[in-house]
Amino acid sequence: MQKNLERRKFVKCSLTLIVAAAAVLLGARGNATFALADDNPYNLIDPKVISVGTMGDARPYVFTDADGNFTGFDAELFRDVAGRLGFQAEQVVFTGQDFAALLPSVASGRFDVAVAAIGTTEARKKTVDFSDGYLAGYLSIISADPALSSNESTAGKRIGVIQGTLQEIYAEKNLKGDIVKFPDNNSAVAALNNGTIDGHFTDYESAKQYVERYSNLKITMNVPSFDAPAGFVVKKGNDAFREALNKALRAAMEDGTWKRLHEKWFPGTPMPAEYLPKS
């Protein structure tokens, strides 16, 4: 009888300890959850890393160098902006993919941000949010045919565009020829050089790079595109991250970092006054 009583007391005591331990564990988990929320003010996929979706061949905006590292104006600017938020260079991880997949990937939570000279449009803002603008420029046709110098001159011609870009939007609305869509600039220019298409409609800075590389190609038309400045793309509703990027971006403009990077990557290209230091 005495042994049974002691056994019951032992079981009761053990159960009490187990319940108490569980309560402590749950409490610790609860506190860890709150701590994680506090340690992730920008609502990132991983609070210690910024996952960046980009392109690998959009020179000079962003591209991979001989060592496979992402570089270019957009890449360097974003690393600087991220540094102002407390992230080291190794904590900013770039992943290249087709341009058309960038916005859906941010919207679905695959990436925290997309960085690839992405123009801000009302249509795009329906699915993602944009930082303040940091780049404006021109859209251009490159071709071996100097006659492709206007919207009307493209009639009866095959004009390449990168799928999902501002160039595609403009081309489908204004160019008279057949629009042929490509995943990236390199494949479009390859098609241009082998005669599959007659011209490629891309951004001015990329156009400059290709005409320097291929002597048979020239820039035959430029269209101003200051109404859709490039911005960093973030998931819709992530205001904390967007506002932090805006603050850091303004600081980079005000202290001359933006100007220095623009002069490095776009030598001789005009710079909008609103992106330059006010002092």
Side-chain angles (χ1 to χ4, degrees):
M1 183 72 175
Q2 180 66 28
K3 288 183 179 180
N4 289 338
L5 181 60
E6 289 176 354
R7 186 179 295 110
R8 285 196 296 270
K9 287 182 178 179
F10 175 78
V11 171
K12 182 177 181 181
C13 181
S14 298
L15 289 172
T16 301
L17 290 173
I18 291 171
V19 171
V24 170
L25 181 60
L26 288 173
R29 286 181 176 173
N31 290 336
T33 300
F34 289 124
L36 181 62
D38 291 339
D39 291 342
N40 191 12
Y42 307 128
N43 303 309
L44 303 177
I45 299 166
D46 178 342
K48 295 181 180 179
V49 174
I50 300 180
S51 175
V52 185
T54 190
M55 297 179 69
D57 70 338
R59 187 187 297 264
Y61 305 103
V62 59
F63 60 98
T64 51
D65 61 19
D67 297 322
N69 299 313
F70 286 90
T71 187
F73 174 80
D74 289 63
E76 287 198 21
L77 178 63
F78 188 79
R79 286 192 183 100
D80 179 88
V81 166
R84 296 170 193 264
L85 302 185
F87 291 86
Q88 302 299 316
E90 62 272 15
Q91 294 176 289
V92 182
V93 180
F94 286 79
T95 301
Q97 62 174 186
D98 292 346
F99 185 90
L102 288 178
L103 271 63
S105 293
V106 172
S108 67
R110 180 182 178 190
F111 298 124
D112 296 308
V113 60
V115 178
I118 303 170
T120 307
T121 68
E122 291 303 315
R124 290 172 176 173
K125 286 164 67 175
K126 292 178 181 178
T127 56
V128 293
D129 286 338
F130 283 80
S131 72
D132 291 340
Y134 64 83
L135 199 62
Y138 288 86
L139 311 179
S140 305
I141 287 182
I142 55 176
S143 176
D145 181 0
L148 294 181
S149 57
S150 66
N151 294 343
E152 290 70 24
S153 69
T154 64
K157 304 294 184 179
R158 290 168 60 81
I159 307 298
V161 296
I162 299 177
Q163 187 174 7
T165 61
L166 291 177
Q167 295 92 285
E168 179 190 7
I169 296 170
Y170 180 94
E172 290 186 332
K173 194 174 184 179
N174 298 285
L175 300 188
K176 307 303 181 183
D178 295 327
I179 306 304
V180 183
K181 300 176 184 180
F182 294 89
D184 53 54
N185 276 319
N186 285 340
S187 57
V189 173
L192 179 58
N193 281 327
N194 68 30
T196 304
I197 58 176
D198 301 293
H200 178 43
F201 192 45
T202 186
D203 62 272
Y204 173 71
E205 298 298 337
S206 293
K208 283 200 307 183
Q209 300 287 333
Y210 283 107
V211 299
E212 289 173 3
R213 191 182 310 176
Y214 302 104
S215 59
N216 62 308
L217 300 179
K218 305 296 179 186
I219 296 176
T220 60
M221 185 180 84
N222 289 316
V223 178
S225 178
F226 292 100
D227 56 342
F232 303 134
V233 177
V234 301
K235 191 170 185 178
K236 198 157 190 65
N238 193 355
D239 294 338
F241 191 32
R242 179 180 55 80
E243 290 169 4
L245 292 176
N246 284 342
K247 182 177 179 180
L249 184 57
R250 286 193 295 270
M253 291 175 177
E254 187 56 37
D255 69 10
T257 299
W258 184 95
K259 181 176 183 290
R260 175 179 58 80
L261 292 176
H262 195 278
E263 289 173 337
K264 173 183 176 179
W265 291 104
F266 310 122
T269 300
M271 293 178 282
E274 56 266 39
Y275 298 162
L276 301 176
K278 295 181 175 60
S279 57

